[in-house]
Amino acid sequence: MPTLFFISHPEVVVDPLVPVERWHLAPSGIERMRRFAGQQALSGLRQIWASTETKAIEAAGILAGRWGLGVEVLAELGENDRSATGFLPPAEFETVADAFFAEPQTSVRGWERAVDAQTRITDAVRGIVRQHEGGGDLAIVAHGAVGTLLFCALAGRAISRAEDQPFQGHVWSANLPDLTIRHGWEPIAPRA
């Protein structure tokens, strides 16, 4: 049965002076993505999608380069909209992210509501799966929060940060075309 791999981008270069959507992969993230891309389990890939954010496109490009595929991009695969606050220092970000998951019906500090981000990512992925032709596996390279929201929707679980990846650069998978979850978040490769 074909597989959907939902991959969150690995480590990035954090630069408060650059919009978050334009952050690049860090050298450690590039290395982890290269190690992941070389796995034989991905040899059935026939299509790769990414959000329009730089870090997701770069990660998808590493995967695509390994398997000789192109990358399609779709804005609706983007991370939850946090433009109301812009960059937040790590401790403050974690506090706001906790509230984002704990209060999914509420716009926390102007962020996109979790329920809205969940609907957006779920609709986008279902649309990609509907048009996925020729069989084979499908990879979507995007972001941790929306990946968690999609996982919760497909698994029939309440939105919860307990379902979130523990750090950047993880993958979960589902059967195609019915999107039945196979496994939850697993690291794409060990951290150095």
Side-chain angles (χ1 to χ4, degrees):
M1 181 173 286
T3 302
L4 165 70
F5 297 97
F6 190 100
I7 303 149
S8 68
H9 65 79
E11 294 81 1
V12 298
V13 176
V14 175
D15 184 345
L17 301 179
V18 173
V20 174
E21 302 81 27
R22 297 294 142 238
W23 286 356
H24 292 273
L25 293 181
S28 59
I30 292 169
E31 177 56 31
R32 287 183 68 224
M33 195 65 201
R34 284 181 178 152
R35 289 172 66 192
F36 174 72
Q39 294 181 20
Q40 195 59 34
L42 299 172
S43 65
L45 282 177
R46 297 296 174 262
Q47 195 172 33
I48 301 171
W49 286 79
S51 83
T52 56
E53 296 188 32
T54 302
K55 52 197 169 277
I57 293 171
E58 289 177 348
I62 292 169
L63 187 59
R66 170 60 180 89
W67 297 104
L69 299 169
V71 176
E72 303 283 340
V73 296
L74 184 64
E76 288 80 3
L77 297 173
E79 186 61 287
N80 60 306
D81 183 353
R82 305 186 303 252
S83 58
T85 60
F87 173 80
L88 295 173
E92 185 179 0
F93 173 83
E94 292 301 325
T95 299
V96 179
D98 286 344
F100 168 80
F101 281 100
E103 304 169 42
Q105 300 282 347
T106 302
S107 173
V108 179
R109 292 189 52 188
W111 283 14
E112 179 181 22
R113 297 183 319 157
V115 292
D116 296 330
Q118 184 180 56
T119 297
R120 172 176 52 80
I121 190 72
T122 302
D123 289 349
V125 169
R126 289 191 187 283
I128 289 169
V129 169
R130 274 194 301 276
Q131 64 79 43
H132 182 59
E133 297 176 1
D137 297 339
L138 168 67
I140 295 176
V141 184
H143 310 276
V146 292
T148 298
L149 295 171
L150 176 62
F151 176 85
C152 290
L154 297 178
R157 299 181 186 170
I159 292 173
S160 170
R161 195 156 195 204
E163 304 290 351
D164 197 10
Q165 63 179 1
F167 53 89
Q168 295 174 335
H170 275 69
V171 59
W172 58 259
S173 70
N175 295 328
L176 288 175
D178 67 0
L179 295 173
T180 302
I181 297 291
R182 286 190 183 174
H183 67 80
W185 288 120
E186 296 176 351
I188 59 170
R191 291 195 287 186

